[in-house]
Amino acid sequence: MDVSRPTAARMYDHLLGGRFNHPSDREAVAELLKIAPSTKELALNNRAFLVRVVETIARDFGIRQFVDFGSGLPTQDNVHQVAQRVDRGCRVVYVDNDPHVHAYGRLLLDENPRVALIKADMTDTEGVFGHRHFRDLINLAEPTAALFVSVVHCLTDQQDPFGMIQRTVAKLPAGSAVVVCQLVSDDEVVRDAVTQLMCDGTGGHWGRVRTEADVRAYFDIDRLRIEKPGLVDVTYWRPDRDVFPRQRTLEWIEFGGVARVV
Ligand SMILES: C[S@@+](CC[C@H](N)C(=O)[O-])C[C@H]1O[C@@H](n2cnc3c(N)ncnc32)[C@H](O)[C@@H]1O
């Protein structure tokens, strides 16, 4: 594994205060904070959103199986821990293409028979849904949650993020849930500068910062009905407490929401 270059997974781990990162990741985060000083608060609020969303899907929607696309490195309150607090029977498949996530992700599994980690590209819908571990845990006759949390900005336009979401939705039965959010900015200068920094740093393993309109377009699929409060800065998606830490500046935000499949 090459640790001389930063990766999205390890930079995000550093922003969350995790242990699975290297000097190259910490240096890249320091550069990023010069352009977008609110990024640490943004990352913490994104993670809090992920926890609220999984709780809501398990508790209020009654869904018991989750596929977490671009799951990232193990941290506190991973999807299976949150979902299994609601019901120990919840099943979770994690999907990531970063070898580091796999090396450390075994910690995630915790010898938990209802959890699996698949090394795959999330755009390879057939490969993910056809994977042995996926088929062992996920019964597509039952509603399933597909999570694309803070991952779509890792894809270029050529990788066709909309096509990936559309193919995934096509595989899910009615009653399923789809969560999508990504980094957006109103400011073209920020969009270009951060995209450049991340693409150069990761050797091209990144996509781009987009606009709120781009994220709205991801949900423009016939079978999707967006849940309240709609598509928002995810910090304000059904907050369960005062927002802390608040983003002091809003040069970019994590924007998206949750839809049900009809
Ligand atoms: C910013 S982290 C998000 C982690 C987690 N979803 C969260 O919101 O806390 C993005 C993750 O997406 C993964 N990723 C990026 N492109 C991917 C791809 N094409 N297929 C699978 N995983 C990918 C990265 O390796 C990284 O772990």
Side-chain angles (χ1 to χ4, degrees):
M1 285 183 287
D2 179 8
V3 295
S4 65
R5 274 190 181 284
T7 68
R10 298 193 316 253
M11 286 176 70
Y12 182 64
D13 176 65
H14 178 50
L15 285 161
L16 292 177
R19 302 172 279 136
F20 303 117
N21 51 77
H22 294 266
S24 60
D25 307 302
R26 298 192 279 275
E27 282 157 24
V29 167
E31 287 306 308
L32 181 61
L33 292 176
K34 290 181 191 162
I35 307 171
S38 64
T39 307
K40 193 172 168 61
E41 293 80 12
L42 183 156
L44 291 166
N45 281 312
N46 175 69
R47 198 66 205 179
F49 162 72
L50 179 64
V51 170
R52 290 198 302 283
V53 129
V54 171
E55 270 168 6
T56 303
I57 290 173
R59 188 189 56 220
D60 302 345
F61 301 176
I63 292 177
R64 293 290 174 264
Q65 37 185 21
F66 295 77
V67 187
D68 186 13
F69 291 93
S71 48
L73 286 153
T75 181
Q76 286 184 344
D77 273 350
N78 299 294
V79 169
H80 72 283
Q81 290 155 330
V82 178
Q84 290 178 352
R85 278 204 293 267
V86 177
D87 181 337
R88 284 186 56 218
C90 284
R91 291 156 343 259
V92 177
V93 171
Y94 294 104
V95 180
D96 208 291
N97 65 353
D98 182 324
H100 261 88
V101 170
H102 282 266
Y104 295 117
R106 305 224 163 85
L107 300 171
L108 257 183
L109 300 179
D110 211 12
E111 297 186 1
N112 190 318
R114 298 187 194 87
V115 184
L117 172 61
I118 297 176
K119 184 165 183 295
D121 193 306
M122 62 187 171
T123 61
D124 177 12
T125 313
E126 290 301 325
V128 171
F129 279 72
H131 196 285
R132 184 168 53 86
H133 292 326
F134 184 101
R135 288 188 280 112
D136 284 348
L137 285 181
I138 306 291
N139 172 6
L140 286 173
E142 281 177 31
T144 305
L147 313 176
F148 294 99
V149 177
S150 193
V151 293
V152 187
H153 45 249
C154 297
L155 299 180
T156 61
D157 293 351
Q158 289 69 33
Q159 287 174 294
D160 188 15
F162 177 74
M164 171 187 73
I165 295 165
Q166 205 176 29
R167 288 192 300 278
T168 304
V169 171
K171 298 230 176 249
L172 301 177
S176 295
V178 178
V179 185
V180 186
C181 65
Q182 85 138 72
L183 291 163
V184 307
S185 178
D186 291 340
D187 185 336
E188 197 179 340
V189 176
V190 171
R191 281 204 300 276
D192 290 349
V194 178
T195 299
Q196 191 74 44
L197 188 139
M198 288 300 298
C199 289
D200 290 351
T202 59
H205 292 290
W206 214 69
R208 69 180 179 96
V209 183
R210 293 190 172 85
T211 63
E212 293 183 12
D214 291 324
V215 176
R216 290 188 195 287
Y218 297 151
F219 287 85
D220 189 12
I221 295 174
D222 275 352
R223 293 178 63 226
L224 292 186
R225 298 286 176 276
I226 297 173
E227 286 285 316
K228 285 184 178 154
L231 304 182
V232 293
D233 175 342
V234 299
T235 302
Y236 300 100
W237 193 90
R238 305 191 188 184
D240 53 7
R241 56 175 164 80
D242 277 352
V243 172
F244 177 82
R246 212 170 271 276
Q247 255 183 265
R248 287 158 294 149
T249 48
L250 294 173
E251 58 282 344
W252 63 351
I253 59 170
E254 192 81 48
F255 184 82
V258 179
R260 296 299 293 274
V261 178
V262 294

